[in-house]
Amino acid sequence: MNVELIQYTPDPEKVIAAAARLCYSPDPVPELLERLDDEKVADFVQKLRSMGHLSPFEHISFQFSIDGVSRALSHQLVRHRIASYSQRSQRYVKESGFEFVTPPSIRKNPQALERFERIMNTLQEEYQALLEAAPAEDARYILPNACTTSLMATFNARSLMNFFEHRTCMRAQWEIRILAERMLELVREVAPNVFGQAGPTCVTQGVCHEGAMSCGRIKVLKR
């Protein structure tokens, strides 16, 4: 998996602070931006977060390049609908000799790994054979969820915080949890006051909403 933050709103935290101050000021945004220093911005952004006043966070966005993840992951990722996605098309890009993601539970089991890799090799051969008789848009029907893909994803900060809340949870599927953790590391570097407290609710709020399905982490955190 390779994840890169390729672009984001310049001075993201300052933009949030200016957007929030605009609601209570007669001055236009450029003047508000000029009067904001780093200390004021940090305090204001943290205050907004603690108050749950998150609409100003929608004014900043972050674009990610995501490569080497499975189609199984991408199907989960696009369920986060307040975001924009572009994905490599299996209709137009042939997947000859496709790469695939091997789950850890299979990798550590020699018998399961041997079977899994044999199936992948068979699918690669059959896909290549189908390309001789059918267009790629039809041959792709036999491609597995394990097949790797590439995406560009753009989130605003509020949507990202929701994404991190759900996908850094230990109940999230392992691959998308790794993706979320890496994305969180990247955005914390450029907007620490926005994302410093981002994560699963057991960490950020001291509560778990998983009920009987809870991983038990909340009990450890409360000790």
Side-chain angles (χ1 to χ4, degrees):
M1 180 187 301
N2 183 42
V3 186
E4 297 181 32
L5 178 60
I6 56 176
Q7 189 167 293
Y8 57 91
T9 303
D11 294 322
E13 296 184 347
K14 199 172 185 179
V15 171
I16 291 173
R21 286 203 177 244
L22 178 65
C23 298
Y24 306 98
S25 172
D27 300 323
V29 171
E31 292 183 19
L32 295 173
L33 286 169
E34 288 181 4
R35 295 201 297 268
L36 287 168
D37 58 35
D38 290 344
E39 184 175 352
K40 289 180 181 178
V41 167
D43 290 343
F44 202 28
V45 169
Q46 292 172 12
K47 182 179 180 180
L48 291 169
R49 284 216 55 175
S50 66
M51 294 170 60
H53 183 27
L54 300 179
S55 59
F57 289 66
E58 297 173 15
H59 289 290
I60 64 172
S61 62
F62 301 81
Q63 295 176 344
F64 300 89
S65 170
I66 302 169
D67 185 59
V69 297
S70 71
R71 279 266 170 170
L73 180 149
S74 70
H75 294 329
Q76 298 176 77
L77 181 62
V78 297
R79 292 173 188 166
H80 294 269
R81 294 183 294 276
I82 311 301
S84 299
Y85 304 99
S86 296
Q87 183 173 14
R88 186 176 69 217
S89 171
Q90 291 181 334
R91 183 183 185 191
Y92 298 109
V93 179
K94 293 181 180 179
E95 296 282 6
S96 301
F98 63 82
E99 296 184 359
F100 54 87
V101 174
T102 305
S105 63
I106 292 176
R107 187 175 296 280
K108 68 182 181 182
N109 182 321
Q111 290 76 27
L113 179 61
E114 188 276 333
R115 180 182 295 272
F116 184 83
E117 291 182 340
R118 184 171 68 248
I119 292 170
M120 291 299 112
N121 290 334
T122 298
L123 287 173
Q124 288 172 334
E125 294 172 0
E126 294 300 331
Y127 172 78
Q128 192 62 39
L130 270 179
L131 288 176
E132 303 294 329
E137 67 176 5
D138 294 333
R140 65 178 169 161
Y141 276 68
I142 69 167
L143 292 173
N145 273 337
C147 186
T148 59
T149 189
S150 295
L151 304 99
M152 178 184 290
T154 303
F155 288 77
N156 69 51
R158 188 177 189 176
S159 182
L160 262 183
M161 287 189 289
N162 177 267
F163 173 71
F164 295 142
E165 180 177 303
H166 289 87
R167 300 302 185 172
T168 60
C169 172
M170 293 302 295
R171 286 274 301 140
Q173 187 257 354
W174 65 269
E175 189 183 13
I176 199 168
R177 186 172 68 248
I178 293 173
L179 172 66
E181 289 169 349
R182 293 187 182 179
M183 290 169 64
L184 180 53
E185 290 176 2
L186 291 170
V187 293
R188 274 181 174 163
E189 293 180 5
V190 298
N193 294 297
V194 175
F195 298 106
Q197 300 301 315
T201 58
C202 60
V203 174
T204 62
Q205 302 174 30
V207 296
C208 176
H209 300 294
E210 294 296 321
M213 302 296 288
S214 174
C215 71
R217 185 182 185 186
I218 185 68
K219 296 179 180 178
V220 176
L221 293 173
K222 287 185 173 181
R223 287 175 186 171

Coordinates of all heavy atoms in Angstrom, one line a residue, residues 23-57:
C23 N -18.7 34.4 10.5 CA -20.1 34.4 11.0 C -20.5 35.4 12.0 O -21.6 35.8 12.2 CB -20.3 33.0 11.6 SG -20.1 31.6 10.5
Y24 N -19.4 36.0 12.7 CA -19.7 37.0 13.7 C -19.0 38.3 13.5 O -18.8 39.1 14.4 CB -19.2 36.4 15.1 CG -19.8 35.0 15.4 CD1 -19.1 33.9 15.1 CD2 -21.1 34.9 15.9 CE1 -19.6 32.6 15.3 CE2 -21.6 33.6 16.1 CZ -20.9 32.5 15.8 OH -21.4 31.2 16.1
S25 N -18.6 38.5 12.3 CA -17.8 39.7 12.0 C -18.3 40.5 10.7 O -18.8 39.8 9.8 CB -16.3 39.4 11.8 OG -15.6 40.5 11.3
P26 N -18.3 41.8 10.7 CA -18.7 42.5 9.6 C -17.6 42.6 8.5 O -17.9 43.1 7.4 CB -19.0 43.9 10.1 CG -18.1 44.1 11.3 CD -18.0 42.7 11.9
D27 N -16.4 42.2 8.9 CA -15.3 42.3 8.0 C -15.2 41.1 7.0 O -15.6 40.0 7.3 CB -14.0 42.3 8.7 CG -13.9 43.5 9.7 OD1 -14.4 44.6 9.3 OD2 -13.4 43.3 10.8
P28 N -14.7 41.3 5.8 CA -14.6 40.2 4.8 C -13.5 39.3 5.1 O -12.6 39.6 5.9 CB -14.3 41.0 3.5 CG -13.6 42.3 3.9 CD -14.3 42.6 5.2
V29 N -13.5 38.1 4.5 CA -12.5 37.1 4.8 C -11.0 37.5 4.7 O -10.2 37.3 5.5 CB -12.7 35.8 3.9 CG1 -11.6 34.8 4.1 CG2 -14.1 35.2 4.3
P30 N -10.6 38.3 3.6 CA -9.2 38.7 3.5 C -8.7 39.5 4.7 O -7.6 39.3 5.2 CB -9.2 39.5 2.2 CG -10.3 39.0 1.4 CD -11.4 38.6 2.4
E31 N -9.6 40.3 5.2 CA -9.2 41.1 6.4 C -9.1 40.2 7.6 O -8.2 40.4 8.5 CB -10.1 42.3 6.6 CG -10.1 43.3 5.6 CD -11.0 44.5 5.9 OE1 -11.4 44.6 7.0 OE2 -11.4 45.2 4.9
L32 N -10.0 39.3 7.8 CA -9.9 38.4 8.9 C -8.7 37.5 8.8 O -8.0 37.3 9.9 CB -11.2 37.5 8.9 CG -12.5 38.2 9.1 CD1 -13.6 37.2 8.9 CD2 -12.6 38.7 10.5
L33 N -8.3 37.1 7.7 CA -7.1 36.3 7.5 C -5.8 37.0 7.9 O -4.9 36.5 8.6 CB -6.9 35.8 6.1 CG -7.9 34.7 5.6 CD1 -7.8 34.5 4.1 CD2 -7.5 33.4 6.3
E34 N -5.8 38.3 7.6 CA -4.6 39.1 7.9 C -4.4 39.3 9.5 O -3.3 39.4 9.9 CB -4.7 40.5 7.3 CG -4.6 40.5 5.8 CD -4.7 41.9 5.2 OE1 -4.8 42.9 6.0 OE2 -4.6 42.0 4.0
R35 N -5.5 39.3 10.2 CA -5.4 39.5 11.6 C -5.2 38.2 12.5 O -5.1 38.3 13.7 CB -6.7 40.2 12.1 CG -6.9 41.6 11.5 CD -7.8 42.4 12.4 NE -9.2 41.8 12.4 CZ -10.2 42.2 11.6 NH1 -9.9 43.1 10.6 NH2 -11.4 41.7 11.7
L36 N -5.2 37.1 11.8 CA -5.0 35.8 12.5 C -3.6 35.4 12.6 O -2.9 35.2 11.5 CB -5.8 34.7 11.8 CG -7.4 34.8 12.0 CD1 -8.0 33.9 11.0 CD2 -7.8 34.5 13.4
D37 N -3.0 35.2 13.8 CA -1.7 34.7 13.9 C -1.8 33.2 14.3 O -2.9 32.7 14.6 CB -0.8 35.5 14.9 CG -1.5 35.5 16.3 OD1 -2.1 34.5 16.7 OD2 -1.3 36.5 17.0
D38 N -0.7 32.5 14.3 CA -0.7 31.1 14.6 C -1.3 30.7 15.9 O -2.0 29.7 16.0 CB 0.8 30.5 14.5 CG 1.3 30.5 13.1 OD1 0.5 30.7 12.1 OD2 2.5 30.4 12.9
E39 N -1.0 31.5 16.9 CA -1.5 31.1 18.3 C -3.0 31.3 18.3 O -3.7 30.4 18.9 CB -0.9 32.0 19.3 CG -1.3 31.7 20.8 CD -0.6 32.5 21.8 OE1 0.4 33.3 21.4 OE2 -0.9 32.4 23.0
K40 N -3.5 32.4 17.7 CA -5.0 32.6 17.7 C -5.7 31.5 16.9 O -6.7 31.0 17.3 CB -5.3 33.9 17.1 CG -5.0 35.1 17.9 CD -5.3 36.4 17.2 CE -5.0 37.6 18.1 NZ -5.3 38.9 17.3
V41 N -5.1 31.1 15.8 CA -5.6 30.1 14.9 C -5.7 28.7 15.7 O -6.8 28.1 15.7 CB -4.8 29.9 13.6 CG1 -5.2 28.6 12.9 CG2 -5.0 31.1 12.7
A42 N -4.6 28.3 16.3 CA -4.6 27.1 17.1 C -5.7 27.0 18.1 O -6.4 26.1 18.3 CB -3.2 26.8 17.7
D43 N -5.8 28.1 18.9 CA -6.8 28.2 20.0 C -8.2 28.1 19.4 O -9.1 27.4 20.0 CB -6.6 29.5 20.8 CG -5.3 29.5 21.7 OD1 -4.7 28.4 21.9 OD2 -4.9 30.5 22.1
F44 N -8.4 28.8 18.3 CA -9.7 28.9 17.8 C -10.2 27.6 17.2 O -11.3 27.1 17.4 CB -9.8 30.0 16.7 CG -11.2 30.5 16.5 CD1 -12.2 30.5 17.4 CD2 -11.5 31.1 15.2 CE1 -13.4 31.0 17.2 CE2 -12.8 31.6 15.0 CZ -13.7 31.5 16.0
V45 N -9.3 26.9 16.5 CA -9.6 25.6 15.9 C -9.9 24.6 16.9 O -10.9 23.8 16.8 CB -8.5 25.2 15.0 CG1 -8.7 23.7 14.5 CG2 -8.3 26.0 13.7
Q46 N -9.1 24.6 18.0 CA -9.4 23.6 19.1 C -10.7 23.9 19.8 O -11.4 23.0 20.2 CB -8.2 23.7 20.1 CG -6.9 23.1 19.5 CD -5.7 23.3 20.4 OE1 -5.9 23.7 21.6 NE2 -4.5 23.1 19.9
K47 N -11.0 25.2 19.9 CA -12.3 25.6 20.5 C -13.5 25.2 19.7 O -14.5 24.6 20.2 CB -12.3 27.1 20.8 CG -13.6 27.6 21.4 CD -13.6 29.1 21.6 CE -14.8 29.6 22.3 NZ -14.8 31.1 22.6
L48 N -13.3 25.4 18.4 CA -14.4 24.9 17.5 C -14.7 23.4 17.6 O -15.8 23.0 17.6 CB -14.1 25.3 16.0 CG -14.1 26.8 15.7 CD1 -13.4 27.0 14.3 CD2 -15.5 27.4 15.7
R49 N -13.6 22.7 17.6 CA -13.7 21.2 17.7 C -14.4 20.8 19.0 O -15.3 20.0 19.0 CB -12.3 20.6 17.7 CG -11.7 20.5 16.3 CD -10.9 19.2 16.1 NE -11.8 18.1 16.4 CZ -11.3 16.8 16.2 NH1 -10.1 16.6 15.7 NH2 -12.1 15.8 16.5
S50 N -14.0 21.4 20.1 CA -14.6 21.1 21.4 C -16.1 21.4 21.5 O -16.8 20.8 22.2 CB -13.8 21.8 22.5 OG -14.0 23.2 22.5
M51 N -16.5 22.5 20.7 CA -17.9 22.9 20.7 C -18.7 22.1 19.7 O -19.9 22.2 19.7 CB -18.0 24.4 20.3 CG -17.4 25.4 21.4 SD -17.3 27.0 20.7 CE -19.0 27.4 20.4
G52 N -18.0 21.3 18.9 CA -18.7 20.6 17.8 C -19.2 21.5 16.7 O -20.1 21.1 15.9
H53 N -18.6 22.7 16.6 CA -19.0 23.6 15.5 C -18.1 23.3 14.3 O -17.0 23.9 14.1 CB -18.8 25.1 16.0 CG -19.2 26.1 15.0 ND1 -20.1 25.9 14.0 CD2 -18.7 27.4 14.8 CE1 -20.2 27.0 13.3 NE2 -19.4 27.9 13.7
L54 N -18.5 22.4 13.5 CA -17.6 21.8 12.5 C -17.9 22.2 11.0 O -17.1 21.8 10.1 CB -17.7 20.2 12.5 CG -17.3 19.6 13.9 CD1 -17.5 18.1 13.8 CD2 -15.9 20.0 14.3
S55 N -18.9 23.0 10.8 CA -19.1 23.4 9.4 C -18.0 24.2 8.8 O -17.7 24.0 7.6 CB -20.4 24.2 9.3 OG -20.4 25.4 10.1
P56 N -17.2 25.0 9.6 CA -16.1 25.7 9.0 C -15.0 24.7 8.5 O -14.2 25.1 7.6 CB -15.5 26.6 10.1 CG -16.7 26.8 11.0 CD -17.5 25.5 11.0
F57 N -15.0 23.5 9.0 CA -14.0 22.5 8.7 C -14.2 22.0 7.2 O -13.3 21.4 6.6 CB -14.0 21.3 9.6 CG -13.4 21.7 11.0 CD1 -14.1 22.6 11.8 CD2 -12.3 21.1 11.4 CE1 -13.6 22.9 13.1 CE2 -11.7 21.4 12.7 CZ -12.4 22.3 13.5

